[in-house]
Structure formats: structure tokens, C-alpha cells
Amino acid sequence: MKYRTIGTDPAHRREVSVLALGAMLFGSLTDEKTSFALLDRYVEAGGNFIDTSDNYAFWTDGGQGGHSENVLGRWRRSRGVGDEIVIATKLGARPLAPGTGFVDNPEGLSAKVIREAAEASRERLGVDKLDLLYAHIDDYSVSQQETVEGFGALAAEGTVGLLGASNQAMWRVERARALAAAAGLPGYEVLQYQHSHLRPRFDVPSDLFPDGSLGHAGPELFGYLRAEPALTLVAYSPLLAGAYVREDKPLPADYDHPGTPARLAELRSVAREAGATVNQVVLSWQIGGELPVIPLAGASSLAQLEENLAAVDLELTADQRARLDAVH
């Protein structure tokens, strides 16, 4: 396994594996026995960066989530896992009532919610401190000052380490970080957005965000990473839920544009040359790229996990990288 540092404060920064394991469906569509086996194998391979959220996976049973955090908590206790494993979780997008969702009825990012949701996540995970806590989605109903101070209070108390933001406009992320800096509070240091080799359109709704494509990493975010080298991007859905390799998984609608066939063709060409799968090329391309990107990939079987883990040791040539980067 290879590792990368996230965070800048010596008291909170962590060395995490360059491939993060997504636990979104653990405890719901992926049963507990399989979830434990995947977690065990990931850790055995040197992985130490696991991602979840307080709302995973509410859509599987029309509830409010908590399945994934609960399973991770039981796994931690049964295996005697301590702070050697970095578990990131999120708040802000948990539905307030069963049968609703994060678009129409989210918990939000008020100071009260931040405190109560973080406490509930710590209880489900069985930890005294959350290693990394994200604002899952933005909340325009409260002031950013309140949100910044809410997260900052938890960090000051030592119940949260690193802070992150997901699925927010870059100007909102920058404003929140500026507010935190002005107040002498910790700010967002890890950004989590959807990012893969294929490029989406930004002028059409995404599958996850019907009123906009804020979940996608784009040129503005990449420019921000270049300007702020202390930030790290955790790239969710790098494999597009299997759409690269499965005929029964069509590409999302926002990838339906003239540039997609050429990028797919180059990916497949490099995969043949490297003796690797297309999925492995995508992950390797992200891991070894110019910018600090950590792919976040889920798995529902040990075979999928082994394929993903093998990507860590896949070294693309300079020519292959140049070709993958050059395709428009």
C-alpha cells in the first residue's frame, strides 16, 4: 500500500492509504458478513482510510440511514480497531424523517445539527473522536458563520480532527475557509467530489443533484487545488458504479456528449497495453496524477476489492499518462 498525508496541523494530520474504501452500502445492500470480510481484507492489504456518512443508506429502505456507521462500529469493536484506521463520515444530508430525502428534507448545517449529528455518528461508530468530518451538502438556510463555528467548536473540544466539505460551490468553500481563518478556527482541508476519467457536462443536471451538478469536480476545483496545495481531493464514484465495464450499467446522462467516446477509447487502449482493467487504469491515473487525489471506491465483493487494490501498484508510463490527460 502507498500513503498520502491529509491535513496540515501536526495534531490532526493523518497518513492515509492512497485508495480509500467506500462503505456506503455496508449494512444495507451489502450484508454484514460480506462487509466485515471486505473491511478485513482492505486492512490486511494496508488500507486505513474508510468513508461513510450518517445518511448511508437511507434510500435502500426509505429510512434515515445509519446502516453503514452502525456496521463499521460493530466491526471496529469486534476486531479491536483503534485510531490506526481513519474513518471519515459526513453530516448535513440525513433526511429528517423516513420517506424523505436529502434534497427535500435534509438535516442541514446549523450549529445544533452539527453537534447532535456528530455525537450520534460517534456513538454509532463507537469512537470518542471523528477523524474526518465533512459537510455533506451545502445549507443556504443558515449563515456560513454559524456552520463554521459549529464545526470549529467540535474541533476545539477534540471530538473532531480534520474537517472537509463535499458537493459545494467553490466560492462557498473558499468563503467558509476564509471565515474560519479570520476567526482562528480550523477550516475545510479535504474536499470530496465526484471525479473520474470521463468528464461530465456541467450544463445538465447530474443523477445525484437534479437541480445542478455541484457534486462533480471540474476546472474550478482543479484550479483551486493548484492554488491551495494543502488541500486534498477525495474522489467519489471514480468507477461510475461499474459503468466502465458493465453493459447493464449505462453511463449517467451527464456523460452523454461527443467527448466521451474518445476518452473511453484511450482508456481501453492504455488498459490493453498495461495488461490491466479499465477500472484499474482509472484508479492508477488518479493516484499518480499531478494533483493530490485519493480515489474513493466501494466494493460489494472480494473480487472487486482485489481488482481495486491491484491498481495501487499499477504504474502507468509517462506516455500513457500524457495520452489520458490529452484526450478532450
Side-chain angles (χ1 to χ4, degrees):
M1 184 56 69
K2 300 171 185 175
Y3 300 89
R4 180 188 292 277
T5 302
I6 57 173
T8 56
D9 185 340
H12 300 296
R13 67 188 179 201
R14 301 296 301 270
E15 293 291 313
V16 298
S17 45
V18 296
L19 177 67
L21 177 62
M24 182 172 70
L25 299 179
F26 290 4
S28 54
L29 297 184
T30 303
D31 63 53
E32 185 160 316
K33 180 180 178 181
T34 303
S35 299
F36 278 31
L38 291 166
L39 290 161
D40 289 343
R41 175 61 188 129
Y42 175 70
V43 171
E44 180 185 46
N48 74 336
F49 194 16
I50 300 167
D51 183 88
T52 186
S53 172
D54 69 349
N55 74 338
Y56 292 163
F58 74 88
W59 57 92
T60 60
D61 62 1
Q64 293 174 274
H67 313 71
S68 176
E69 288 184 333
N70 280 324
V71 161
L72 287 172
R74 290 193 289 272
W75 171 75
R76 286 188 68 262
R77 287 185 287 270
S78 70
R79 303 305 194 255
V81 169
D83 61 7
E84 71 276 11
I85 302 300
V86 177
I87 297 181
T89 193
K90 315 176 194 73
L91 57 78
R94 183 178 172 92
L96 287 175
T100 61
F102 69 85
V103 173
D104 60 321
N105 196 29
E107 61 189 353
L109 296 175
S110 69
K112 180 176 184 292
V113 163
I114 289 169
R115 178 165 294 279
E116 292 177 353
E119 183 178 350
S121 286
R122 287 192 294 113
E123 183 176 346
R124 284 189 289 266
L125 290 167
V127 297
D128 295 324
K129 176 181 177 181
L130 299 173
D131 300 309
L132 167 58
L133 180 62
Y134 293 97
H136 201 165
I137 59 173
D138 209 344
D139 180 5
Y140 286 82
S141 72
V142 299
S143 71
Q144 282 191 293
Q145 187 75 42
E146 178 178 347
T147 297
V148 165
E149 291 176 355
F151 279 113
L154 298 183
E157 294 165 9
T159 56
V160 172
L162 294 169
L163 300 175
S166 180
N167 307 314
Q168 300 187 22
M170 283 301 100
W171 70 269
R172 294 277 290 180
V173 173
E174 173 58 20
R175 175 178 288 177
R177 295 181 73 236
L179 287 169
L185 297 171
Y188 301 139
E189 294 191 83
V190 185
L191 307 180
Q192 186 174 137
Y193 289 76
Q194 183 174 347
H195 174 48
S196 188
H197 185 256
L198 291 185
R199 296 173 178 170
R201 291 177 58 176
F202 286 86
D203 59 339
V204 296
S206 70
D207 284 357
L208 287 178
F209 298 94
D211 57 350
S213 295
L214 290 180
H216 284 305
E220 189 175 19
L221 188 153
F222 298 131
Y224 194 38
L225 290 176
R226 291 186 177 93
E228 298 288 343
L231 297 175
T232 301
L233 171 63
V234 173
Y236 71 79
S237 297
L239 305 180
L240 301 179
Y244 280 112
V245 295
R246 290 178 54 179
E247 293 184 2
D248 63 325
K249 288 275 190 176
L251 287 169
D254 39 345
Y255 292 90
D256 184 10
H257 59 81
T260 292
R263 291 186 76 79
L264 275 174
E266 199 61 67
L267 267 177
R268 290 165 179 161
S269 174
V270 170
R272 286 193 297 271
E273 292 174 10
T277 67
V278 168
N279 285 346
Q280 289 169 336
V281 171
V282 172
L283 296 176
S284 176
W285 173 75
Q286 290 187 332
I287 290 169
E290 165 202 1
L291 296 175
V293 176
I294 297 175
L296 165 60
S300 59
S301 70
L302 287 172
Q304 289 177 350
L305 179 59
E306 294 293 352
E307 179 184 3
N308 296 347
L309 288 169
V312 173
D313 295 319
L314 174 62
E315 297 289 343
L316 300 176
T317 68
D319 173 71
Q320 289 167 340
R321 284 196 167 276
R323 284 156 49 198
L324 291 171
D325 290 339
V327 178
H328 297 289

